[in-house]
Amino acid sequence: MDHVVEINGLSKWYGSKAAVQRLDLQVPRGAIFALLGENGAGKSTTIRMLTGLLKPDAGGATILGRDCWRDAVALRHEVGYVPEKPRFYDWMTIAEIGWFTAGFYKSTFLPRYEELISDFGLERKAKLQTLSKGQYSKVALALALAPDPAVLILDEPTSGLDLLVRREFLASMVELAGEGRTILICSHQIAEVERVASHVVFMSKGQSVLAATMEDLRKRLVRFQLRYERQAPDAESLGTVLQRNGIGRQWEAIILDPNRAAVETVRRAEGISEFEEIALNLEEAYCALMQREGTS
């Protein structure tokens, strides 16, 4: 598989605190890859190292085969970046910020920027300081897309936006991925990210807890529900137990990487009835994994 982003043993410390620890990750071409985790999980620090804004203390990362730190300047033309809180010269108009930024890029930047702001329904003469947060975010996205980057990195791009604007923004990511771009997105809007993501990595304490395609995630994280008459099944025999619940003779467990042979044994066991196997949605998977990490 063609991996556009490769992260190997990436680490960063702030004093004695590790923000990112020995992170390994591969992002295939054309993926919409979501980074999920609590505040302080290391997502933004990872993104800052990928965009060449922060030097790793150990390990490294490449985008399109180029080192994210050593080749940061060259990668500016290949990687679009929208930070969580973009800040521009707010006294400028939408057209002026495009003209100003174009000075750092190739001659194709400005015509493409003009096309993008038109597609986004933005008024060229509007001052940046008068824009709504949704409009401001669209300017940031237009500036990031104008160089026609192969990779787009988004750090909480929909933070603070209303529901309809968030959905419109995320839907546009699917179109961009369809054009062959690779998108790395960090977001707290888990339910909405599920609508567009093809891959996901769950991060905790600067490390990857689990990385998978969305299709594989639904196979690897499963809720089992059943009713038993005599003895409850041994959840540990089914795989890695993330949660165990139940009332009376109703039994339920969330299992990571279930042992299929053991599952079939339980399914056919005497006294077991109402057996159900349910794939988790992304929010349920997130909560199960993060709760386990919080207690480990």
Side-chain angles (χ1 to χ4, degrees), residues 4 6-7 10 16 30 32 67 74 95 162 190 199 227 268 287:
V4 172
E6 296 198 54
I7 299 174
L10 194 66
S16 60
I32 302 179
D67 185 272
D162 62 54
I190 297 173
H199 297 66
R227 182 174 181 82
R268 298 171 182 174
C287 290

Side-chain angles (χ1 to χ4, degrees), residues 10 12 14 19 44-57 68-69:
L10 194 66
K12 184 66 185 180
Y14 295 112
S44 291
T45 298
T46 299
I47 284 177
R48 292 184 68 199
M49 287 189 280
L50 289 176
T51 52
L53 299 175
L54 197 62
K55 185 178 181 180
D57 290 322
C68 292
W69 177 252

Side-chain angles (χ1 to χ4, degrees), residues 15-262:
S16 60
K17 182 180 179 181
V20 176
Q21 300 184 67
R22 300 179 300 279
L23 181 65
D24 295 317
L25 197 62
Q26 295 178 320
V27 180
R29 187 179 301 276
I32 302 179
F33 206 113
L35 276 69
L36 302 178
E38 300 294 313
N39 289 332
K43 305 184 303 297
S44 291
T45 298
T46 299
I47 284 177
R48 292 184 68 199
M49 287 189 280
L50 289 176
T51 52
L53 299 175
L54 197 62
K55 185 178 181 180
D57 290 322
T62 63
I63 296 179
L64 299 168
R66 293 177 170 176
D67 185 272
C68 292
W69 177 252
R70 291 195 303 270
D71 302 323
V73 174
L75 282 172
R76 294 282 189 272
H77 299 277
E78 302 288 345
V79 179
Y81 172 48
V82 179
E84 179 178 1
K85 296 179 180 179
R87 288 290 179 268
F88 307 122
Y89 297 120
D90 286 354
W91 48 268
M92 287 185 174
T93 66
I94 291 175
E96 287 169 343
I97 192 64
W99 171 83
F100 173 79
T101 308
F104 301 94
Y105 290 94
K106 299 174 184 177
S107 61
T108 54
F109 180 99
L110 193 55
R112 180 166 171 76
Y113 175 77
E114 295 282 357
E115 180 182 344
L116 286 163
I117 61 174
S118 175
D119 291 344
F120 290 158
L122 297 170
E123 174 53 53
R124 297 179 72 261
K125 296 181 180 180
K127 294 277 190 181
L128 295 174
Q129 61 195 8
T130 68
L131 302 182
S132 68
K133 189 163 186 178
Q135 292 170 325
Y136 207 95
S137 293
K138 287 180 179 180
V139 172
L141 183 59
L143 291 169
L145 287 173
D148 197 20
V151 179
L152 189 60
I153 298 177
L154 309 171
D155 190 1
E156 298 290 351
T158 62
S159 177
L161 302 184
D162 62 54
L163 177 61
L164 292 178
V165 175
R166 288 203 309 268
R167 288 192 173 183
E168 178 187 356
F169 189 97
L170 290 171
S172 68
M173 296 302 102
V174 177
E175 296 177 11
L176 293 172
E179 295 172 0
R181 288 182 178 80
T182 303
I183 299 170
L184 197 64
I185 182 169
C186 169
S187 176
H188 282 101
Q189 307 294 336
I190 297 173
E192 293 179 0
V193 166
E194 184 171 19
R195 295 162 56 94
V196 300
S198 61
H199 297 66
V200 62
V201 60
F202 300 89
M203 293 185 65
S204 178
K205 302 172 185 175
Q207 297 178 309
S208 169
V209 177
L210 177 66
T213 66
M214 290 298 296
E215 182 179 355
D216 285 343
L217 185 66
R218 296 183 183 98
K219 298 175 184 176
R220 296 185 62 187
L221 270 168
V222 182
R223 175 184 284 109
F224 294 102
Q225 295 176 338
L226 57 84
R227 182 174 181 82
Y228 64 94
E229 292 181 8
R230 298 178 182 176
Q231 185 175 358
D234 176 15
E236 300 289 343
S237 70
L238 300 180
T240 302
V241 181
L242 301 185
Q243 289 182 8
R244 168 74 174 86
N245 300 299
I247 300 175
R249 296 194 178 278
Q250 289 294 134
W251 183 96
E252 178 179 305
I254 294 178
I255 304 295
L256 172 63
D257 293 330
N259 181 321
R260 285 295 155 191

